[in-house]
Amino acid sequence: MNFKRVILLISTILSLAVAQDNDLASIFDKSKLKGTIVISALNNDIKYIYNNQRAVKGYIPASTFKIINTLIALEEKVIKDENEIIKWDGKVRSYSSWNKDQTLQSAISVSCIWCYQKFAQEIGNDKYLTYLKNINYGNHKTGSNVTTFWLDGDIKISAVEQIEFLKKLYKNELPFKQRYIDITKKILTVEQTENYIIKAKTGFSGKIGWYVGYVETKNGVWFFALNADVTKDKLKYRKQIVMDALKMKNII
């Protein structure tokens, strides 16, 4: 762990020590899940956290890594844009929505693993390591298999770090062409109403479930990151907990 990362971690722990939000505990209790959620205003003036100890602990990012993976794939010209066809290889997989040609838009919507594995083979481990370090994403590690490291490798990221990454994305402060940042933001849109727009991504490693993103409202922008110990039958609670928390805090 480098010096800057140590300083950031210490300052984060100190800030979280007074920011614990026990009101959010009832939402986790209702779903009977163990986890954490961090909700932060764009300017950091207001922050809500449940389980502050877990909020700074790193976990495998699973499919939330598709956010940064999309940016890298576009920057490396592995794929042109959100409309280019990603040809299905004909292998039948467990999710029927994966068993057809995809685009970036559909691939991130249905969390198509084989699409991003195809990108990873072309990108290569060395380039991933360089990007992770330059962006300061998680612990900067990958793993032994370049096509699965975000699912079962050495890479780890905390809920707090997810928030910081998403803020850089929103503020266009990541080292990618603006066109690629715009495409990524566009395909992350999961809900749009008269009062708010939510851009988010789920993740599931088999043990850890994620829901990360941000919500744009008429009164400001709020970022959220949830991770929890979940089984496949409880995946619905990832988004449900976040939505309940946003409503509890009168954000949406």
Side-chain angles (χ1 to χ4, degrees), residues 4-250:
K4 288 183 178 179
R5 188 171 164 78
V6 171
I7 295 299
L8 177 62
L9 182 59
I10 292 172
S11 62
T12 300
I13 290 172
L14 290 174
S15 68
L16 294 187
V18 295
Q20 175 79 358
D21 192 311
N22 291 319
D23 289 341
L24 294 171
S26 61
I27 301 176
F28 279 88
D29 290 342
K30 185 168 64 175
S31 62
K32 298 181 180 179
L33 291 185
K34 293 181 179 179
T36 185
I37 185 170
V38 180
I39 301 173
S40 176
L42 177 61
N43 58 10
N44 282 323
D45 283 351
I46 305 174
K47 189 176 287 185
Y48 305 111
I49 296 130
Y50 169 67
N51 197 341
N52 52 25
Q53 186 174 3
R54 179 167 176 146
V56 295
K57 183 178 179 180
Y59 293 91
I60 198 90
S63 285
T64 66
F65 190 76
K66 286 185 173 70
I67 302 174
I68 186 174
N69 220 350
T70 296
L71 290 163
I72 294 171
L74 287 165
E75 189 73 27
E76 290 297 319
K77 296 180 171 54
V78 171
I79 191 163
K80 182 175 63 176
D81 57 30
E82 73 272 32
N83 300 313
E84 182 179 344
I85 300 299
I86 308 165
K87 294 295 293 183
W88 179 40
D89 57 12
K91 295 179 182 178
V92 177
R93 295 171 174 87
S94 55
Y95 294 97
S96 59
S97 57
W98 295 358
N99 299 328
K100 57 185 177 182
D101 293 350
Q102 305 284 339
T103 62
L104 265 182
Q105 179 69 74
S106 68
I108 206 160
S109 297
V110 302
S111 214
C112 179
I113 290 178
W114 68 260
C115 295
Y116 283 86
Q117 289 180 317
K118 182 178 180 179
F119 299 160
Q121 287 178 326
E122 295 188 51
I123 293 165
N125 193 62
D126 289 344
K127 286 182 178 177
Y128 275 121
L129 289 171
T130 298
Y131 278 111
L132 296 179
K133 183 178 179 180
N134 289 344
I135 296 166
N136 194 26
Y137 185 94
N139 63 358
H140 308 171
K141 296 181 180 180
T142 54
S144 59
N145 189 334
V146 74
T147 65
T148 62
F149 69 83
W150 59 90
L151 297 169
D152 57 15
D154 301 324
I155 186 171
K156 299 288 187 297
I157 189 168
S158 70
V160 167
E161 289 169 328
Q162 291 268 23
I163 295 280
E164 295 307 310
F165 168 69
L166 290 165
K167 286 184 177 180
K168 290 177 185 177
L169 173 67
Y170 178 80
K171 294 189 288 185
N172 304 320
E173 292 177 350
L174 293 172
F176 299 99
K177 292 182 178 65
Q178 188 60 48
R179 177 170 176 265
Y180 301 149
I181 292 174
D182 292 341
I183 288 173
T184 302
K185 289 178 180 178
K186 176 184 175 182
I187 66 176
L188 285 174
T189 303
V190 295
E191 187 174 349
Q192 186 166 352
T193 73
E194 292 182 357
N195 299 314
Y196 62 81
I197 300 173
I198 295 178
K199 298 177 184 290
K201 186 70 193 77
T202 57
F204 179 53
S205 68
K207 295 180 180 179
I208 302 296
W210 285 96
Y211 196 54
V212 307
Y214 60 91
V215 53
E216 300 174 89
T217 75
K218 295 176 181 178
N219 298 317
V221 184
W222 292 81
F223 298 79
F224 57 83
L226 170 143
N227 68 56
D229 303 331
V230 295
T231 49
K232 205 169 184 178
D233 60 316
K234 291 192 173 184
L235 290 177
K236 66 179 182 179
Y237 291 114
R238 295 171 299 179
K239 181 177 180 180
Q240 184 174 315
I241 290 172
V242 169
M243 296 300 287
D244 287 349
L246 293 175
K247 291 172 184 176
M248 173 183 281
K249 297 304 179 183
N250 296 315

